[in-house]
Amino acid sequence: MSTPTRKGATSAASRYARGEADAPGPPDPHPFWARLESPLSTYYLLIAVISSLTLIGLVVVLSASSVTSLKDGKPAYSLFVSQTQFAILGTVGAFIASRLPVSAWKRLAVPVFAASVFLMLLVHTPLGVEVNGNRNWIRLPGMQLQPSEIGKFALVLCCALALSTKRHRLREWQHVLVPALVPFGAIIVGLTLLGHDLGTALVLLAIIGGLLWAAGVSWRLFAAAGALFGVLAGGLVLVSGNRMSRIDQWLNCTDVHMCWQTRHGQFALADGGILGLGLGRSAEKWLWLPEPQNDFIYAIIGEELGLWGTLLVLVLYALLALACYRIVMHSDDQFVRLATTGVMVWILVQAMINIGSVIGLLPVIGVPLPLVSYGGSALVANLGALGMVVSFARHEPACRRALAARPLLRRRWADKVRLPAIGRRRPAAVGSTGAVGVRGARTATSTSEGENS
């Protein structure tokens, strides 16, 4: 006997694809994918990723910095306590930044640029401090500040504002050049190079390139700017013996003593394996690996948390890029799109340079891992910039409506759940002979409340 055919079940999808009137509608999406399309998904995704990376950084800094602190004659948790203080300060700053409207960020662009330039000029005064050949810090009472981190934020704001203002005239090279590249970009990059900090300068050049690409600049102008930046970076490498030696060690490492830091970073990743040795059980942090809490903290993550820990960090950066991309695609404000692109390029390029140096794909350039490495200035600047991105997500029309509806839901829930009134007084009753005294009114009120309760 032949089995009956299920014509309705087999042809429903095809009838819907052909657009027939009696065809059933498309199937309902899975609840997980429906949540991703929620107006609040980008907002909450940003908060979750930023919080996760910051917490991971604090935990690994606690482990990686203890030996270094003891070597310097300080308490074992001194660097961790300092990083925690900056994390709290940065979190407060990010919360404030997330509440600012887009118009406020446009007004803050030039003041932030002026403040960053002033601080970067202080680097070349007696307040300046030279670390590992780079004069890029200033020493203030009780703290050490790196003004170039604020310069990255200022560059994003000013270039985004300039390019968005001139978005209809970017086909002409002079409008691309002024004022985004000159004076904003030239001053920030120039002051950074004056302190011999090539790693930060490369990140700044990447930010400028990402902003130009997102602004829709002509490919000829984009290629010319890229060639100019490439020649500039190559010239800076050639005139520095330290940078040339780093590249030579990267290309021709035949002895572990020639590329000590890179090799021990790879040893740490190899020792960690898939599951890791466990938190606090790193061997390389015992003065084998230089800068374990800073430039090579990714190696400590791999050693203590294993392959899964390093992949988790990569996934979090990918989710951060996804959230920024969603803001860029959903926003109609050109300034928001460019500023978000600038912050995304800043975080991702810096992370790629850091991780590439650890695993040996790039020479050791000396930039921290965003939100993870030890460094108060970098952490506060990163949290402030990402707080701005959160404000962009928060002020999207659909997200703003969804957030505004939450108090209404709370009020409806409170109306259903009646709580006993505490300290609520009713007006005193007035008798036939006149007003009741104050003590009598209080007695009457308390009596009526007792009866109602």
Side-chain angles (χ1 to χ4, degrees), residues 231 252 273 355:
V231 171
N252 306 304
I355 296 173

Side-chain angles (χ1 to χ4, degrees), residues 56 274-275 298 301-302 304-314:
I56 290 174
I274 297 179
L275 300 178
Y298 191 73
I301 294 175
E304 296 188 350
L305 302 179
L307 176 65
W308 296 113
T310 59
L311 292 179
L312 174 62
V313 173
L314 295 179

Side-chain angles (χ1 to χ4, degrees), residues 261-275:
Q261 195 171 16
T262 301
R263 281 293 180 263
H264 278 275
Q266 295 171 351
F267 292 160
L269 293 173
D271 291 341
I274 297 179
L275 300 178

Side-chain angles (χ1 to χ4, degrees), residues 320-367:
L320 181 62
L322 173 64
C324 293
Y325 177 76
R326 287 170 65 94
I327 294 175
V328 172
M329 297 303 296
H330 292 166
S331 177
D332 296 328
D333 192 322
Q334 183 71 351
F335 172 79
V336 170
R337 298 165 66 118
L338 293 178
T340 305
T341 301
V343 174
M344 179 177 66
V345 172
W346 168 9
I347 300 297
L348 295 184
V349 169
Q350 189 165 317
M352 287 189 291
I353 293 175
N354 179 276
I355 296 173
S357 300
V358 171
I359 64 179
L361 288 179
L362 295 173
V364 178
I365 298 177
V367 295

